[in-house]
Amino acid sequence: CPFLVDSIMGEIAQQGLSVRAMFHPIVEIGRRVSMIQVILDPIGRDREAALPAGVTETLDDVHAAVADFPDMLQLMGRTLAELQTSGRAEKEEVAFLGWLEAEHFVFLGARLYEYPRLPGGDYAPEEPLYKATDGWGVLRDPDRTVLRRASEPALLTGKVKDRLESDPALTVAKSNVRSRVHRRGYMDYVGVKRYGEDGRPIGEVRFVGLFTAEAYDQPGDQVGQE
């Protein structure tokens, strides 16, 4: 995994520990195995438990993100196709999502949400719904939120309902989830609305991940032009 060493070293740095040396050999034990050995300064008994726990959580995130990456990439493709079919997206929004799909975004997590509706078709005064099976990557865990509570669509009432229909199809923001994979920092969030046959939003797909280094180097007026 190309992210493994960076992710482990990121966890060690996050805990404020000093690294004396790091070795990453390929060894033969009946098969070729990639090993990682990190030598640290003494850390004290009071911090001994936190390090393996943090590394384990990091490895879990790396495994989930890498294992589900193909599914998340396919989900972006389907989401983009559905958005184009809906006729509700601006040309720039479609171009931007296509640009993300073309390896300018490291997909680390995704989740499907549905907006609950009443029998008459209006939005129910409830929170957006999602199933535990509708999460990928680091969002496999249904208890992990994506945005800060103040930014999350909460009860679909009043102005919130109005904004569902008036706001753009695409939202780009910072999530409240710190990345343990590749590089540390709050992950980037991309929300894409899903539309029903009546043209009204029925839910959304939320992606979290990291823009690639090349994406940061690309001039803004060239984004989506490839």
Side-chain angles (χ1 to χ4, degrees):
C1 169
F3 301 142
L4 195 55
V5 173
D6 289 344
S7 302
I8 292 175
M9 297 301 285
E11 177 61 31
I12 294 171
Q14 185 74 27
Q15 296 198 21
L17 304 177
S18 298
V19 176
R20 288 187 175 180
M22 190 274 288
F23 304 97
H24 189 198
I26 305 296
V27 299
E28 293 281 351
I29 52 172
R31 57 189 177 90
R32 292 172 63 85
V33 177
S34 175
M35 305 283 289
I36 299 174
Q37 182 181 31
V38 183
I39 300 175
L40 306 174
D41 285 337
I43 63 175
R45 299 186 65 85
D46 59 326
R47 304 175 70 182
E48 288 180 353
L51 180 59
V55 170
T56 297
E57 291 177 355
T58 296
L59 294 177
D60 287 344
D61 276 5
V62 171
H63 171 74
V66 172
D68 289 352
F69 183 83
D71 292 335
M72 291 187 284
L73 197 59
Q74 290 179 12
L75 177 61
M76 173 57 83
R78 294 196 305 271
T79 301
L80 177 56
E82 291 174 4
L83 188 59
Q84 289 177 290
T85 301
S86 74
R88 296 297 304 272
E90 299 291 337
K91 180 176 65 175
E92 292 81 3
E93 293 174 326
V94 171
F96 178 74
L97 293 178
W99 179 79
L100 293 183
E101 188 184 15
E103 300 184 8
H104 291 101
F105 192 73
V106 180
F107 293 89
L108 299 180
R111 184 179 288 154
L112 293 176
Y113 289 80
E114 294 183 3
Y115 300 146
R117 305 280 282 269
L118 297 171
D122 196 11
Y123 294 107
E126 301 175 13
E127 295 189 20
L129 305 174
Y130 61 90
K131 301 175 183 176
T133 55
D134 286 342
W136 293 266
V138 299
L139 296 183
R140 287 180 181 179
D141 181 357
D143 293 326
R144 254 189 186 169
T145 57
V146 177
L147 295 175
R148 292 175 178 81
R149 190 61 185 172
S151 302
E152 288 267 14
L155 297 182
L156 302 182
T157 58
K159 292 182 179 180
V160 175
K161 294 193 295 183
D162 294 337
R163 287 182 55 188
L164 287 181
E165 301 193 55
S166 63
D167 281 358
L170 179 63
T171 301
V172 181
K174 281 290 184 181
S175 78
N176 71 340
V177 183
R178 280 188 177 273
S179 173
R180 290 192 180 102
V181 183
H182 188 26
R183 62 178 186 263
R184 292 293 165 131
Y186 289 107
M187 288 188 282
D188 299 294
Y189 156 87
V190 179
V192 187
K193 286 182 182 175
R194 300 165 54 229
Y195 294 91
E197 295 182 359
D198 60 0
R200 301 177 68 191
I202 60 172
E204 63 183 283
V205 187
R206 298 179 183 178
F207 297 94
V208 290
L210 299 167
F211 288 105
T212 64
E214 293 77 11
Y216 284 107
D217 292 337
Q218 190 164 2
D221 59 356
Q222 295 181 17
V223 172
Q225 300 301 312
E226 299 178 5

